[in-house]
Amino acid sequence: MIDPNKKEPLPVNPSEVCYRAIELMGAKQFADAEKLLAGNMSRTDDDAAIALYHSVLGVLFKMQGEWKTAWKHYERAEKLLPKDPALEIISARLLIDQFAEYGQAIKKAKKVLELIPGNPVFVHQAQTTMGLAYVKKGERKKAIECLEASWGEDFRGFVSAKNIDFELVEALLKRGWGAPSCRAFLLKAKAFAEAAGEESYINLLERMMDSFDTEFPAAKSALPSDEEVTR
């Protein structure tokens, strides 16, 4: 196990170092995690490793509510790995949540669509991110269009229902926007979980559907039958 307080050289395995740092962060040992990451970063010239350390430092400072410092680390990671879609999504969400830079967030999400258009999970995250930005901008139609684009071919190509992001559904419903589209999203997510045999997500989505139909009864009648929506 990596000891952040050891004086001798540490094993230079970026993935192992970051895994240990994340464990320390989970235990709220932020100073030790920062020392571990910074120490290993100073010992390498590999851009990919340095970018990985910066991205984890971004998470560390985000967990502590130090948004500007977190952003600086994500920005450095992006400069080293400008074609990494995960970093683009992370920084775009930070721009939305903490800096109200909605236009920049949309640009980053669109870049993900250009970088990796054939990956359904990244397309889902990019469309969700754009939708959240459009909600903040008050652009109802574009936000709903992003939600509908986010499910792709009914989540085909996803590994698990845990890859499905419900944040845009929540944001739209808080505004009272696009209830029929939100219901279709939940139906398709439930159908995917059923096809994947993921009982915990099936149960969760059944509860979500029950709550949704109680709160938004008109949405059901605005759609074709449930079977047609998920066909």
Side-chain angles (χ1 to χ4, degrees), residues 144-157:
I144 295 170
E145 287 173 350
C146 287
L147 178 72
E148 294 172 352
S150 77
W151 64 62
E153 297 181 18
D154 296 351
F155 302 110
R156 188 177 302 165

Side-chain angles (χ1 to χ4, degrees), residues 159-173:
V159 175
S160 165
K162 70 182 179 183
N163 298 132
I164 300 175
D165 190 332
F166 297 92
E167 192 173 348
L168 180 53
V169 171
E170 295 171 3
L172 287 167
L173 292 177

Side-chain angles (χ1 to χ4, degrees), residues 50-84:
I50 295 170
L52 184 59
Y53 294 142
H54 274 303
S55 66
V56 178
L57 281 164
V59 175
L60 183 150
F61 286 105
K62 186 177 177 183
M63 288 176 70
Q64 297 178 90
E66 295 184 38
W67 308 110
K68 289 183 179 179
T69 305
W71 169 253
K72 286 177 183 177
H73 283 290
Y74 286 132
E75 193 172 39
R76 288 171 188 164
E78 267 192 277
K79 285 178 180 176
L80 291 166
L81 292 179
K83 293 186 178 181
D84 188 313

Side-chain angles (χ1 to χ4, degrees), residues 95-109:
L95 284 169
I96 293 168
D97 295 339
Q98 299 301 325
F99 299 105
E101 293 282 351
Y102 309 128
Q104 281 297 109
I106 290 167
K107 285 181 182 178
K108 286 183 176 293

Side-chain angles (χ1 to χ4, degrees), residues 12 31 40 69 74 115 125 127 170-171 200 221:
V12 184
N40 278 274
T69 305
Y74 286 132
L115 286 171
Q125 287 295 332
Q127 292 288 356
E170 295 171 3
S200 60
S221 60

